[in-house]
C-alpha cells in the first residue's frame, strides 16, 4: 500500500541552486497536486495536473515548474532556489475532482540558505 | 473566492475532555467539506467528510455536521486521548467540479495533556 510517495524527504539547497522533487502514486489517479505548507499559512496550491501531459497553475506558482510525463509521476522543479521557497512540500492525488478527497504523501522538507 | 476559517490554536485540553474545533466556510454553490489530520512528520490524512447539507461525517470518534444555514463544519469528539494530538485542517472542494483541488484552512494545533 504505497499510495503517494515523495522523494527526497529532506533537502538543503543554497540560493540559486536547482532541484526536482518527485511524486509517484500507484493508485491510477488522474489528478495530482503540489502544495506548500508554511507556518500560519496552511496549505497553498502551487501547480496541479488533470492528467498525463497536462499542468496548470495554482495559487502560488511563481518560481516553480512542473511536468507530468507519466500518469503516475508529477515532478516539481525549482530552477533557481530562493530562501522564500523554504517550506514543506506535499504532493497529493485524487481519482477525479469535484467532491473527492485527496491522498497525500509524507512531504519534503526543503531549506534554502 | 472560496475560503475556510478555523481557530488556529494551539488548543490544549486534558485527556477525556470534550473537543470542538470550529470551521466556517465561504463558497458558492454546495461544496463538499472535509477534515484532515496531520501527525508530526507526516502528510495529511482524511479524517472525515460530508458532501451535502445536514450530512454527518464520522470516524475514530470524531464527528462533524455540514450546516449550510450557518456555513459551518465544526469538528467534535466526546473524549479526547493523548494520541489525538495533531494538527487538524478543515477543507472544502469546489462544487462546480473544478480541478484545482481543495481549499484549506490554516490548521488547528491540538495538544492533549495526560
Amino acid at each position: 500500500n504505497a499510495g503517494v510517495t515523495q522523494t527526497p524527504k529532506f533537502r538543503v539547497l543554497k540560493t540559486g541552486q536547482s532541484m526536482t522533487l518527485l511524486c509517484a502514486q500507484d493508485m491510477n489517479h488522474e489528478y495530482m497536486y503540489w502544495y506548500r505548507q508554511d507556518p500560519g499559512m496552511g496549505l497553498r496550491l502551487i501547480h496541479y495536473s488533470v492528467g498525463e501531459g497536462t499542468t496548470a497553475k495554482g495559487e502560488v506558482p511563481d518560481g516553480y515548474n512542473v511536468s507530468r510525463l507519466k500518469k503516475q509521476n508529477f515532478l516539481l522543479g525549482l530552477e533557481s532556489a530562493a530562501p522564500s521557497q523554504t517550506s514543506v512540500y506535499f504532493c497529493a492525488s485524487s481519482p477525479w475532482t469535484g467532491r473527492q478527497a485527496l491522498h497525500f504523501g509524507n512531504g519534503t522538507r526543503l531549506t534554502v540558505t | 473566492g472560496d475560503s475556510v476559517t478555523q481557530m488556529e490554536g494551539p488548543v490544549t485540553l486534558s485527556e477525556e475532555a470534550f473537543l470542538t474545533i470550529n470551521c466556517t466556510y465561504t463558497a458558492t454553490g454546495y461544496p463538499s467539506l472535509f477534515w484532515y489530520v496531520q501527525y508530526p512528520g507526516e502528510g495529511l490524512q482524511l479524517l472525515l467528510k460530508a458532501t451535502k447539507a445536514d450530512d454527518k461525517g464520522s470516524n475514530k470518534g470524531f464527528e462533524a455536521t455540514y450546516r449550510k444555514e450557518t456555513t459551518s463544519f465544526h469538528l467534535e469528539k466526546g473524549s479526547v486521548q493523548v494520541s489525538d494530538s495533531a494538527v487538524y485542517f478543515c477543507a472544502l472542494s469546489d462544487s462546480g467540479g473544478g480541478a484545482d483541488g481543495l481549499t484549506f484552512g490554516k490548521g488547528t494545533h491540538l495538544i492533549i495533556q495526560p
Side-chain angles (χ1 to χ4, degrees), chain A residues 31 33 35 37 40-43 45 48 50 57 88 90 97-107, chain B residues 30-32 34 36 38 41-44 46 51 89 93-95 97-102 104-106:
Chain A
Y31 294 156
Y33 306 86
Y35 287 88
Q37 182 181 29
M41 303 292 289
L43 277 79
L45 183 65
Y48 63 98
V50 302
K57 295 180 180 180
V88 181
F90 287 100
T97 192
R99 295 178 180 275
Q100 300 301 313
L102 301 184
H103 300 255
F104 282 84
N106 283 337
Chain B
Y30 302 91
S32 290
F34 306 84
Y36 282 82
Q38 183 181 32
E42 298 184 8
L44 280 71
L46 178 65
T51 58
F89 291 91
S93 71
D94 178 358
S95 61
D100 53 351
L102 304 181
F104 288 87
K106 293 184 178 181

Side-chain angles (χ1 to χ4, degrees), chain B residues 3-83:
Chain B
S3 66
V4 175
T5 302
Q6 60 180 114
M7 51 203 299
E8 292 186 34
V11 174
T12 303
L13 296 173
S14 298
E15 205 166 20
E16 299 183 2
F18 185 87
L19 168 70
T20 299
I21 300 178
N22 291 338
C23 171
T24 58
Y25 66 90
T26 301
T28 55
Y30 302 91
S32 290
L33 300 173
F34 306 84
W35 276 102
Y36 282 82
V37 58
Q38 183 181 32
Y39 299 103
E42 298 184 8
L44 280 71
Q45 303 173 27
L46 178 65
L47 181 59
L48 53 85
K49 69 177 183 179
T51 58
K52 61 183 188 297
D54 299 325
D55 267 2
K56 177 185 286 187
S58 62
N59 186 25
K60 299 181 181 179
F62 291 89
E63 293 183 340
T65 302
Y66 188 163
R67 301 287 188 199
K68 186 174 184 301
E69 64 275 13
T70 55
T71 61
S72 65
F73 193 53
H74 303 322
L75 183 68
E76 296 181 336
K77 186 175 185 182
S79 177
V80 293
Q81 305 301 313
V82 171
S83 57

Side-chain angles (χ1 to χ4, degrees), chain A residues 4-26:
Chain A
V4 179
T5 303
Q6 292 183 233
T7 53
K9 290 183 170 50
F10 303 95
R11 185 72 185 269
V12 178
L13 288 179
K14 295 186 186 303
T15 297
Q17 288 184 321
S18 63
M19 76 163 296
T20 299
L21 283 67
L22 173 63
C23 175
Q25 53 96 1
D26 62 0

